[in-house]
Amino acid sequence: FRKKEIDVLLLTDPIDEWIVWSLPEYKGNKLISITSANLELESENEEGKKNLEEKTKEFKDLFELLKNTIGSEKLEAVKASTRLWENVGALTTKEWGMTPQMEKMMKAMWQQIPTQKRILELNTESEILKTMLEEFKNDIKSEKLQDMMKYVYEQAILLEGWELEDYRGFINRVNKFIK
């Protein structure tokens, strides 16, 4: 958003999300969560959309394996994204899905809520994704590929502000990559 010079209103208080739901527009400007998977940037041109379609086809099988490796109970989908410039991946919420902030607030109020499936958006221009695709083509069952898929997902969890289920495994994977 910074690179495309799009203004973003940063809401940091837990109650902010409820306010935005009740006030979806301000002075003619529609308020949309940047964590929404359905967010389409007006600045996307036809060439960019075509490139995204090509990348989606190129990575389709890898993304399917990644979704199955992480688990369909955690991920709704894995897809290519053009809005991740520096990051490998990010978890987004499907339209009308409960965002991570709302989920945290509900849990803090002792509310029973079902686990929210996220959409893992991946930057296909990332060197990590390119390496994953090479490894996928060479050996679909390699330990390196399995570690990379888990790492990408765990990195997205951390960027979302959640805690990992297996910190020890994450640290071991990072240490393997460094070696």
Side-chain angles (χ1 to χ4, degrees):
F1 294 92
R2 185 178 301 134
K3 188 170 186 168
K4 292 184 183 247
E5 297 182 7
I6 297 172
D7 290 331
V8 174
L9 178 63
L10 182 61
L11 303 173
T12 59
D13 293 326
I15 196 72
D16 290 339
E17 191 163 350
W18 278 351
I19 300 295
V20 171
W21 277 4
S22 63
L23 180 75
E25 188 176 303
Y26 179 73
K27 290 187 177 180
N29 294 305
K30 193 173 181 180
L31 301 177
I32 303 169
S33 174
I34 63 172
T35 64
S36 172
N38 294 339
L39 177 66
E40 286 194 27
L41 302 177
E42 292 176 5
S43 61
E44 287 296 317
N45 57 26
E46 288 303 315
E47 184 180 322
K49 289 178 183 179
K50 185 178 178 184
N51 184 39
L52 182 62
E53 287 176 17
E54 290 171 7
K55 292 295 184 181
T56 298
K57 288 177 187 173
E58 181 182 3
F59 283 83
K60 181 182 181 232
D61 294 334
L62 173 61
F63 288 173
E64 189 65 33
L65 177 64
L66 200 155
K67 180 183 175 191
N68 292 332
T69 299
I70 301 304
S72 57
E73 71 281 353
K74 294 178 183 177
L75 290 177
E76 180 83 23
V78 178
K79 67 181 199 176
S81 177
T82 58
R83 60 181 173 168
L84 303 170
W85 296 100
E86 297 170 354
N87 297 325
V88 176
L91 291 169
T92 57
T93 307
K94 60 184 175 180
E95 190 174 17
W96 305 112
M98 189 177 297
T99 65
Q101 295 79 8
M102 183 64 77
E103 190 175 340
K104 284 180 185 178
M105 190 163 57
M106 297 298 281
K107 286 181 179 180
M109 294 187 311
W110 303 96
Q111 299 293 314
Q112 293 292 331
I113 56 169
T115 302
Q116 301 296 304
K117 291 183 181 184
R118 301 279 187 249
I119 296 166
L120 179 58
E121 292 189 12
L122 295 171
N123 178 0
T124 56
E125 298 302 317
S126 156
E127 289 302 317
I128 293 174
L129 259 287
K130 290 176 183 178
T131 302
M132 283 175 62
L133 186 60
E134 279 181 39
E135 192 68 26
F136 176 79
K137 290 176 180 176
N138 292 333
D139 182 6
I140 195 170
K141 295 182 181 183
S142 80
E143 183 180 338
K144 179 181 177 182
L145 179 60
Q146 295 294 315
D147 284 342
M148 292 179 83
M149 288 189 293
K150 290 174 187 172
Y151 171 77
V152 166
Y153 175 68
E154 290 167 335
Q155 188 182 74
I157 289 173
L158 291 173
L159 286 171
E160 192 176 51
W162 286 94
E163 292 186 17
L164 299 176
E165 293 175 9
D166 179 17
Y167 279 101
R168 184 179 309 258
F170 177 76
I171 296 299
N172 288 338
R173 278 185 280 287
V174 171
N175 289 339
K176 272 194 226 178
F177 297 147
I178 291 172
K179 288 179 187 176

